Amino acid sequence: MKQKKIVIIGAGVVGCSTAYYLNKMGQRDVTVIEQGPLFETGGSTSHAPGLVFQVSFSKVLTTLASQTVETFKSLSTDAQRSFYSVGSLEVAHTSDRLEDLKRKAGVASSWGIDAFVLSPEECCEKSPLINRDNIYGGLYVPSDGIAKPLNAVDQMTSFSKSCDTKFYGNTEVTNIEVVDGQVKAVETSAGKFEADLIICCAGFWGPHIGEMVGVTIPLQPMAHQYVFTNELEELAEEEEVTMPLIRQQDSSIYFRQVFNGLGIGSYQHRPLPVELNEITKYGEAKEMPSVKAFTPEDFEKPWQDATEFIPSLKQAGIKKGINGIFSFTPDGMPLLGESQKVRGFWVAEAIWVTHSAGVARQMAEWIVNGAPTVDLELCDINRFDTYAQSPDYYKPRSIENYEKVYDIHHPSMPPETSRNIRVSPYYMRQKTLGAYFNEKNGWEQPQWYEANDSLVSVYEKTILKRKGWAAKYWSPIIEAEQLHTRQHIGLYDVTATKKRLEIKGDGVVEFLQQLTTSNIDIPIGHAINTLMLHELAGIKDEIKVIRKATSAFHVLCTGPVEASWIQKQLSASSQVVIQDVTAETCSLCVIGLKAKEMLQSLDSDVFVENKWTSQSAKELLIGNIPVLAVYNSYAGMDSWELSTTNDQGLQLWDLLFETGRPYKLIAAGDRALEALRIESFTLRSSKDFWSEHDPYEIGLDHMIDLNKPTFIGRKALIDRKEKGPKLILVTLILDNPTVVVMGYEPVFSKEKVVGFVTSAGYSYSLGKGIVYALLFPENVNEEATLDVEYFGKTYTAQVMKDSTVVI
């Protein structure tokens, strides 16, 4: 194993866990630097209540939490507990919350964690302290518990020291030396430490470290209220904690036992953002740096709610309160990985104790093996384009995430802050048509158009009316747009859907051959869909490669993470140039039964039928507008994606709209396009598969050309093929035609969980719900009857015969 000089900045639970896992994987030249004392450093680890609620609607966060539990339990000894497996109880005080807990129990099954929906009486049996009044039920997760991060750190650092890892306390980082875009050393108050690789685990001080190398770490420190109560008679226990953790999310409060009292945290108070210049250094104030003075006025209403929920608190009263600081991000996810801007500068930031050891394990795998085993795309530090690196964007959005942390979150719920950051040239036309916008990669993306409301009555007898959860942030106009596209034409703004890269120069073919699994030495004027794999043969992304000239290609990838990964594959001596043209270009998709007829009326010479075959790509003029046009079949209909520069985008929209009037062209939204995608059996990267999966599991082996002598992940792919798939992606048809599930629901076979839903929708051609699901191979049987659980109820499904899933 190649040894690297690794310097970790920060000796909290994340930094120490990362050193521990790097040491376990054989790395021996590791140094950990901490500005505070070792190991109660004064950061968030030092005051964190240690609650580990594993289950969330995010698969990656649930996995990281489960791995943290596994690690902390393994570090526990009789003399020093690192984890108390006391279970957790989430209590519903509204019917909506109870329904959400049923949904949460379903995703717990999908992610492999036992969770049980309890009656009000069963909730009180789990925790006799709570008041039975107004309880609708609850969710119990027996494997949850309390982490003791400082005890875990003690065990981990003992092991790391035995591997010659050095720990330096009271050592302030003053600068980071970067030469030719590569980190070289960390300069500190105790001297210089040479480094091949630096990992920033500095918590809410991370942005300050990032500034030293010109890397934005978009997190917002927030003060969070937490109190300790006096003793309760009911908790006369010698153990620190025996009762389950409790969340009462309808009042935005949580509870944990602390010996004979309780610790109570609240998200109910006004947001209390903290700026870095307001945070003291260790020893400069009575409290540790991560603790601000308690503001009792903000705890008045939470305390009232707490005493109503646990009446014995009225007698106990509050012993002490703090406003503890920890980090929030614009999307609520951690910030992980190597920055695209500076080679060797890694971050592991905005991580709670809940996910700490799991993150550390994956970071170590990523650094040593070239890729983690868990897909971390949603956590990648490079996921934010430049628009999101402005404090004007990420601070309000992070604060909004704090305010809504205990809300019931719907996957289609739009954010309220930091909007109208990126708009396509079509934005004003879309507003005129009554577009309902959501955000996609920072862009304002139309979901549907109120101008199409009249179409609802046209298709009223056909439209499936959604109810309940599926009807939130939904309109029947979506269905009307989907149906109208099938019968006539839809014009879709797809500017926000992909990153657009121009890749050209000497050696570009060789570069792309190494990058992708297919033979991309295609004729000029053709496109090909292919895959990029990482070093462990997981699917990094599905991309479209368009050859514009001998040494020039146009590449469409999923987003900033994938674009940064492509850039990272370039060697320093390469003559290949990669230019991101996303911000200066725009794209429209013309789809429908009448699409070909309409475009032929626009220019009969350019759009004659025999000149376009699947994946044809042409640079042409439509009127006086230069366009890159790519043809494909979509849901059995003709489809052209037309891209141009932003300055001529509006002219293209107006020309297409005017030409399309006789053919009943409408502007249609992203939700209808997504429905058509599912109905056409088309998969989507990061939705139906991740880097945890290989092409053989997903049925994308037709994109693999093993005749190529080499490409990234080739050897590992052959090994994975020989071992056989762990999961297989299949299409299911729901027997009940009125049910439309939303995604991530568990799939059962004879009451045993055998997989989970990825995408789901409704097929008007079949008259039934379509479900894509990842299943264990032994359960992929066309004769088998399966069940999909949705809000605690099960619905029968069949594996679709002869279904072709394409991409």
Side-chain angles (χ1 to χ4, degrees), residues 66-88:
S66 298
Q67 292 184 350
T68 299
V69 169
E70 179 186 334
T71 299
F72 283 8
K73 287 174 72 174
S74 73
L75 295 168
S76 282
T77 65
D78 292 338
Q80 191 178 59
R81 299 285 292 275
S82 294
F83 192 78
Y84 289 89
S85 297
V86 293
S88 72

Side-chain angles (χ1 to χ4, degrees), residues 552-563:
F553 292 80
H554 188 78
V555 173
L556 303 175
C557 63
T558 295
V561 171
E562 294 73 21

Side-chain angles (χ1 to χ4, degrees), residues 440 482 485-486 492 497-498 542 591 633-637 669-689 729 731 742-744 757-763 770-772 804-807:
K440 191 170 192 174
Q482 179 184 353
T485 299
R486 279 198 158 281
Y492 294 87
T497 59
K498 294 287 185 181
E542 174 270 328
I591 307 174
S633 176
Y634 201 86
M637 301 173 289
D670 194 55
R671 296 283 291 277
L673 187 63
E674 174 69 357
L676 287 170
R677 175 190 75 80
I678 294 168
E679 189 171 10
S680 66
F681 307 111
T682 303
L683 303 184
R684 196 174 97 197
S685 180
S686 75
K687 176 65 175 173
D688 299 306
F689 56 88
L729 188 71
T731 306
M742 301 288 287
Y744 305 136
V757 173
T758 60
S759 294
Y762 184 78
S763 169
I770 293 178
V771 169
Y772 300 155
T804 303
V805 181
V806 298
I807 196 162

Side-chain angles (χ1 to χ4, degrees), residues 626-646:
V627 168
L628 174 62
V630 181
Y631 171 78
N632 214 332
S633 176
Y634 201 86
M637 301 173 289
D638 292 312
S639 167
W640 275 269
E641 183 169 338
L642 308 172
S643 301
T644 188
T645 53
N646 280 342

Side-chain angles (χ1 to χ4, degrees), residues 20-71:
Y20 172 73
Y21 271 108
L22 285 168
N23 294 148
K24 290 195 76 170
M25 296 189 71
Q27 290 292 316
R28 291 295 177 263
D29 197 346
V30 179
T31 302
V32 182
I33 298 170
E34 169 57 48
Q35 66 176 349
L38 301 174
F39 283 94
E40 191 166 348
T41 64
S44 298
T45 300
S46 305
H47 73 255
L51 287 74
V52 180
F53 291 90
Q54 297 169 87
V55 181
S56 80
F57 293 103
S58 163
K59 181 176 183 295
V60 61
L61 290 184
T62 301
T63 302
L64 294 173
S66 298
Q67 292 184 350
T68 299
V69 169
E70 179 186 334
T71 299

Side-chain angles (χ1 to χ4, degrees), residues 348-359:
E349 291 288 352
I351 300 156
W352 296 357
V353 170
T354 304
H355 311 108
S356 55
V359 164

